[in-house]
Amino acid sequence: MTSNTSNGDESLESESDVATEVFEEIDNRRSLSGAGVVAVAAIGIAFSAFQLWLGARGFVFDFTIPGYGTVDLGSLSSLQIRAIHVNFALVLAFLLFPGSDGRGYLTAGIDRATRGIADRFDGSPVSTAVSAVRDAIWWVFVDEGGDRITPSDLVLILLSTFPTIYYATRYQEITDVIRVLGLRGAGGLADVYPALAPLSIGPLAEYTFAYLMGVLAILLVLEATRRALGLLLTGLVSLFLLYAKYGYLLPRDVPVARTFATSQLRWDQIVQNLWYTVEGILGVPVGVSVRFIYIFILFGAFLEMSGAGKWFIDLAYSLTGTRKGGPAKASVVASGFMGMLSGSSVANTVTTGALTIPLMKRSGYSPEFSGAVESSVSSGGQILPPVMGAAAFLIVEYTGTPFRDVVIAATLPAIAFFFGMWVMVHFEAAKRNIGGLDRAELLDVVPHMRRGWFYLVPLGLLLYYLVIARLSVGRAGWLTIAATVALIAMVAAYNERYGTYLVGTVAAGYALFAGSLFALGVTPVGLLYGAEAVDVGLVAAFGEAANSLPTIVTAVSVAFLLADPRGDAPLLDLDDAVDGSAEWVDERLGTDVGASRTGRFASFVLKAMDSGARTATLVVVAVAAAGIIPGVIGITGLGGSLRALILDVSGGSLVLLLILAGIAAVIVGMGMPTTVMYIIIVVLLGPVLPDFGIALLAVHLFVLYLGLMADVTPPVMVAAYAASGIAKSDPFDTGKQAFLLSLNKILVPFAFVFSPGILLLRTSDGQGTVLTGADVADLGFFLPEVAVPILATFAGVYALGVAIIGYYRTDVRSGSRWSLVTAAVLLSVPGMVLLPASAALGLVGVDAALYSVTNDVAARAVGAAILVAALVRNARRASGGASDAAAAESAADPVSQ
């Protein structure tokens, strides 16, 4: 981070410590040391390596050894891969999150009871025995300090492998027997593993082994969810499980209860549906995690560990820090950058807030406003292309929309949100007369760009792969990670002494690959592995060789690093966590390998893989648990009943239905990951909204936007709570202001639902397609349904920002504020006025369809007029006030007279 900004009342180091403490308070991970750290890192790296193999090679596990042949380790089905994916997450969850800290209801009760008995029989054998029992329970189950892996954790880790081993070794039984005859037709323990026949007693003899493994898997997912995500989601999922089994008991003669009544199901039917099909835990969400989410989380980890996060934050300050209210504007830009990398509102708030919040406070913003700005923009990072958050990849799967189209559609709404934040921090600065930072406190833009321009390359490549090359999401993620590793390898190997030779060798390697393709029809690597030759022209050879550039750059750079491991690397500025890990290893091994540039590069790769796995663990556990909900809805047939109920409650009103959907998204999102909120709301409400002719992609983005409001909505407001801890502000006031600052996350999605042109979509029969050149040339469509809504929405966001802050050249009066809110609604969402107006006229017998393209444009024009009038009125008040003040000052100054 910018070292120049470290002066002030509090050092950046102390603020970073505060941020760390706040994050640890919210995120109850263990602080492990020694063997625990090594175990977590080893499993995390293995998890990432497994996912990288899937991204590069798919589900087939074989490799070729030159001179020997191909070693075939076999292939796995999609369900087997998903089971392994969940198993990795379960193991990490049991290692990272304690089962109990001794302060829970059960453990606290045991502690009080045993201490009471020990005190009563003090000094007797009873007291000694009770204390020994209590200590034994604590040793097995309780981790009070959050720094110890308990025996119960190790047991759970061992148990978590059993369902996966069964999936891997008995998949034929799952496909040929269970899917035909059900779990009751599967074999018992003695049938499946004859060597374990002596253990077939009790439940192991009564139930089939597949049923027991399914029950075990579900219980382990629930326990991992309780540890990592809390009781709220665990309780919700458990309620759905109980509903699947006992929903048939609901009375069918009571209207509402009749809607939710189900047919009677056996436990084995429920378990089969939730664990042995693609409808439950191993369903669509986990499948998306395997193919898309993990690889992009890993890409974010590689980019962050490379030092890109620090560089982007410094760039934001360099570009905006000197402007009016510069620190807050830098927070908007920096948090947008970081949000793309982390995909977590809380992590983004803590990471960037450690720097931005203190600087905002020093410049003159109140602690509450500083925390509100950081938490609000941090929660918006998940909607900023090209990376976005994990929910974006669920949108790809649920809607069948290419990720390229999701990125294109989400771009303008995301820009509108961040534009609104910029407007609000600007007017708050003007209101409080807050200037920017002195240029001497900031890094110069040109030298900063020269030192780190290469951090933009991975993002540019990602956009190229997704938008221009149109590769699959997983393939694009894998190639971008490979390019990032190659880039940092070259940065680590580059210095003034060998830089020319390094670049020349890379160029020679590229020419060698191109020449080999042209002359032999295969690359040197392909020749080594016996690849089949094909005819390649000269121009095509250079194009094909470009695909091998990451391999060439990495191989050449690593060779230079090994040849001179302790040379200088002036451009290498890795994340502090990478250097900290290298130092940790050096201290324990008594070496200084980690301090060398070769060691730092190796630490970068391993730390990124470890960090990506740690981040992904929460997401994988969340989507696995959330998969139970659609699984239950599917097996019980609840979906159709809910659809009918929702339509009845909304009365067929699109406006009311959207409001209900928004409220539901905010409520469900409180205290839950965005991915879980999205899955629940889409499963419940997603099938209903397209019936009103709304583009499917617009529906899903609408749910995502509204759900993000939960991170800053009191009373849960996890992101606002994290920001208030760093800002040392009142949590509720911080959350309240963050909610107000985030109202654009409500205005913008309502705007693009009614006007899909804002998403650059053209809708026909409820199907939205990305605009083409022909659509742009069709001015009768493009101007009123795309250009006007886009410009009007940005104007509406501006109007809402002025209304929220209450300042435009001077304080905005209450009446003008409401005028600005009205203007914001008319400019952005005229349908919210026109549709209810049509319904109201219908109630008095007037049949008028007010919602049309013409009336839409007219309503926006009215909103624009109201906005201009309100701003002009306030500007005149400001000018009049300034004139009066000048006149008064002149009258009071005898010298001037």
Side-chain angles (χ1 to χ4, degrees):
M1 295 185 184
T2 312
S3 59
N4 305 60
T5 58
S6 60
N7 299 325
D9 299 328
E10 301 163 303
S11 67
L12 288 183
E13 289 79 7
S14 63
E15 295 296 343
S16 180
D17 291 341
V18 171
T20 302
E21 292 173 3
V22 170
F23 186 73
E24 289 177 352
E25 183 177 349
I26 295 174
D27 184 64
N28 62 330
R29 298 185 192 217
R30 288 185 169 112
S31 299
L32 296 172
S33 60
V37 171
V38 175
V40 170
I43 294 170
I45 292 168
F47 193 5
S48 294
F50 175 71
Q51 291 297 140
L52 286 172
W53 180 281
L54 297 180
R57 301 290 301 275
F59 296 172
V60 178
F61 296 85
D62 61 18
F63 56 92
T64 301
I65 300 176
Y68 175 78
T70 299
V71 178
D72 187 1
L73 301 178
S75 61
L76 297 175
S77 70
S78 176
L79 273 176
Q80 289 173 308
I81 291 291
R82 295 180 190 187
I84 295 172
H85 185 77
V86 172
N87 198 169
F88 267 119
L90 292 178
V91 171
L92 286 173
F94 296 139
L95 288 173
L96 290 171
F97 299 94
S100 173
D101 58 6
R103 295 191 294 268
Y105 179 79
L106 179 60
T107 51
I110 293 173
D111 187 44
R112 285 194 302 268
T114 53
R115 289 184 186 278
I117 295 172
D119 291 341
R120 182 169 183 178
F121 298 95
D122 187 26
S124 69
V126 174
S127 175
T128 304
V130 168
S131 297
V133 169
R134 186 263 182 198
D135 293 342
I137 293 174
W138 251 240
W139 180 75
V140 173
F141 295 103
V142 178
D143 175 21
E144 289 182 297
D147 57 1
R148 183 178 71 92
I149 297 172
T150 65
S152 61
D153 299 323
L154 299 178
V155 171
L156 290 175
I157 290 170
L158 178 63
L159 290 175
S160 72
T161 63
F162 292 168
T164 306
I165 291 173
Y166 177 76
Y167 243 115
T169 60
R170 303 288 297 182
Y171 190 67
Q172 187 172 356
E173 181 178 38
I174 295 172
T175 56
D176 296 348
V177 178
I178 294 177
R179 290 183 182 175
V180 178
L181 303 177
L183 285 176
R184 291 185 172 184
L189 176 62
D191 301 317
V192 177
Y193 301 112
L196 300 178
L199 299 178
S200 295
I201 56 176
L204 292 176
E206 183 178 354
Y207 301 103
T208 64
F209 189 70
Y211 173 73
L212 293 174
M213 291 300 96
V215 171
L216 178 61
I218 294 170
L219 293 177
L220 289 170
V221 167
L222 290 176
E223 170 59 11
T225 304
R226 182 190 69 83
R227 292 179 176 220
L229 300 165
L231 287 173
L232 181 61
L233 179 57
T234 309
L236 179 63
V237 172
S238 299
L239 283 176
F240 270 88
L241 280 171
L242 294 174
Y243 169 76
K245 181 68 175 82
Y246 300 109
Y248 74 95
L249 297 176
L250 292 172
R252 297 180 181 273
D253 53 351
V254 178
V256 176
R258 180 172 61 244
T259 302
F260 294 97
T262 68
S263 58
Q264 186 172 359
L265 296 170
R266 301 187 310 271
W267 276 121
D268 62 281
Q269 293 174 308
I270 298 170
V271 170
Q272 178 183 344
N273 185 72
L274 296 183
W275 182 244
Y276 293 104
T277 71
V278 293
E279 303 298 326
I281 292 174
L282 304 181
V284 170
V286 167
V288 173
S289 179
V290 169
R291 293 188 294 144
F292 306 147
I293 295 176
Y294 194 103
I295 204 74
F296 270 78
I297 289 175
L298 196 55
F299 164 65
F302 270 98
L303 201 56
E304 186 175 359
M305 292 301 114
S306 71
K310 297 187 297 182
W311 186 82
F312 278 128
I313 292 175
D314 284 341
L315 177 63
Y317 272 92
S318 298
L319 293 174
T320 64
T322 59
R323 298 173 179 268
K324 184 185 292 290
K329 291 176 179 176
S331 173
V332 173
V333 178
S335 296
F337 282 136
M338 289 300 296
M340 289 192 302
L341 305 185
S342 70
S344 166
S345 301
V346 176
N348 190 13
T349 298
V350 173
T351 303
T352 57
L355 175 65
T356 60
I357 290 175
L359 289 177
M360 282 190 275
K361 288 169 61 181
R362 291 178 199 140
S363 65
Y365 290 104
S366 69
E368 286 72 22
F369 189 83
S370 301
V373 169
E374 181 56 50
S375 57
S376 182
V377 295
S378 292
S379 66
Q382 296 184 63
I383 59 176
L384 185 63
V387 178
M388 305 180 69
F393 303 103
L394 291 170
I395 291 176
V396 171
E397 189 71 11
Y398 277 117
T399 64
T401 306
F403 188 68
R404 164 185 176 272
D405 292 354
V406 175
V407 167
I408 292 173
T411 297
L412 284 178
I415 293 174
F417 166 70
F418 283 96
F419 168 72
M421 290 299 306
W422 182 284
V423 167
M424 286 184 281
V425 299
H426 172 81
F427 283 119
E428 181 71 13
K431 182 179 181 179
R432 296 178 178 272
N433 195 28
I434 299 172
L437 298 172
D438 190 277
R439 172 50 68 183
E441 296 183 70
L442 303 170
L443 296 173
D444 291 332
V445 176
V446 175
H448 185 64
M449 287 293 295
R450 191 179 297 122
R451 281 194 300 270
W453 60 268
F454 49 82
Y455 288 123
L456 298 172
V457 172
L459 292 176
L461 279 175
L462 180 61
L463 285 173
Y464 168 78
Y465 289 139
L466 289 173
V467 178
I468 298 176
R470 300 194 178 192
L471 300 180
S472 68
V473 178
R475 187 64 179 167
W478 153 250
L479 290 175
T480 310
I481 289 174
T484 303
V485 172
L487 179 68
I488 301 305
M490 192 169 186
V491 169
Y494 181 88
N495 55 34
E496 291 186 3
R497 183 179 180 184
Y498 295 112
T500 303
Y501 300 104
L502 176 67
V503 175
T505 306
V506 170
Y510 174 63
L512 173 64
F513 269 60
S516 177
L517 280 167
F518 176 66
L520 305 176
V522 66
T523 66
V525 175
L527 188 64
L528 185 65
Y529 283 95
E532 185 178 348
V534 294
D535 291 333
V536 182
L538 181 61
V539 175
F542 278 95
E544 287 292 325
N547 295 329
S548 300
L549 263 178
T551 303
I552 298 169
V553 171
T554 302
V556 170
S557 299
V558 169
F560 271 75
L561 288 173
L562 294 175
D564 184 19
R566 302 190 182 281
D568 63 319
L571 297 180
L572 190 63
D573 187 20
L574 301 173
D575 190 82
D576 294 339
V578 176
D579 292 330
S581 296
E583 291 172 5
W584 186 89
V585 173
D586 279 349
E587 287 176 4
R588 278 147 186 82
L589 297 181
T591 67
D592 59 353
V593 174
S596 67
R597 61 177 185 169
T598 304
R600 295 181 70 203
F601 172 70
S603 297
F604 153 70
V605 174
L606 296 177
K607 182 61 180 177
M609 295 172 72
D610 175 33
S611 176
R614 289 170 181 256
T615 302
T617 295
L618 278 174
V619 177
V620 178
V621 171
V623 296
I628 292 176
I629 295 174
V632 169
I633 290 175
I635 195 173
T636 58
L638 182 62
S641 301
L642 280 174
R643 181 176 177 277
L645 180 63
I646 292 168
L647 289 174
D648 288 342
V649 171
S650 66
S653 168
L654 175 60
V655 172
L656 182 57
L657 181 59
L658 289 174
I659 292 173
L660 291 174
I663 294 172
V666 173
I667 292 174
V668 173
M670 289 184 181
M672 289 193 189
T674 306
T675 48
V676 176
M677 173 282 304
Y678 169 81
I679 292 168
I680 294 173
I681 298 300
V682 163
V683 168
L684 297 179
L685 298 178
V688 179
L689 289 171
D691 290 349
F692 289 83
I694 304 173
L696 187 61
L697 181 55
V699 170
H700 287 250
L701 286 173
F702 175 85
V703 171
L704 174 59
Y705 268 70
L706 269 296
L708 289 174
M709 283 295 293
D711 289 340
V712 293
T713 301
V716 180
M717 55 179 191
V718 286
Y721 177 78
S724 71
I726 300 171
K728 298 181 176 64
S729 61
D730 180 85
F732 184 80
D733 286 344
T734 303
K736 182 175 67 175
Q737 291 197 39
F739 177 83
L740 291 174
L741 294 177
S742 298
L743 285 177
N744 285 323
K745 291 200 201 81
I746 296 177
L747 184 69
V748 171
F750 273 91
F752 64 61
V753 161
F754 282 95
S755 301
I758 298 170
L759 299 175
L760 302 181
L761 298 178
R762 186 166 192 171
T763 304
S764 177
D765 297 327
Q767 298 296 318
T769 56
V770 174
L771 297 181
T772 62
D775 295 323
V776 176
D778 183 4
L779 297 182
F781 158 77
F782 183 77
L783 290 178
E785 298 191 45
V786 180
V788 170
I790 290 173
L791 294 175
T793 296
F794 275 83
V797 166
Y798 184 91
L800 184 62
V802 175
I804 290 171
I805 299 302
Y807 187 88
Y808 180 80
R809 300 193 179 182
T810 188
D811 290 336
V812 179
R813 292 173 177 170
S814 178
S816 293
R817 279 194 174 194
W818 285 111
S819 296
L820 289 167
V821 171
T822 302
V825 173
L826 287 174
L827 280 163
S828 304
V829 206
M832 291 289 287
V833 177
L834 296 174
L835 282 176
S838 296
L841 289 174
L843 293 175
V844 297
V846 179
D847 186 11
L850 297 180
Y851 187 50
S852 63
V853 174
T854 302
N855 290 341
D856 181 272
V857 174
R860 295 182 196 272
V862 172
I866 295 174
L867 171 60
V868 171
L871 296 182
V872 169
R873 183 166 59 249
N874 229 57
R876 288 175 177 172
R877 281 184 55 240
S879 299
S883 300
D884 293 343
E889 182 179 350
S890 177
D893 186 0
V895 177
S896 64
Q897 297 176 357

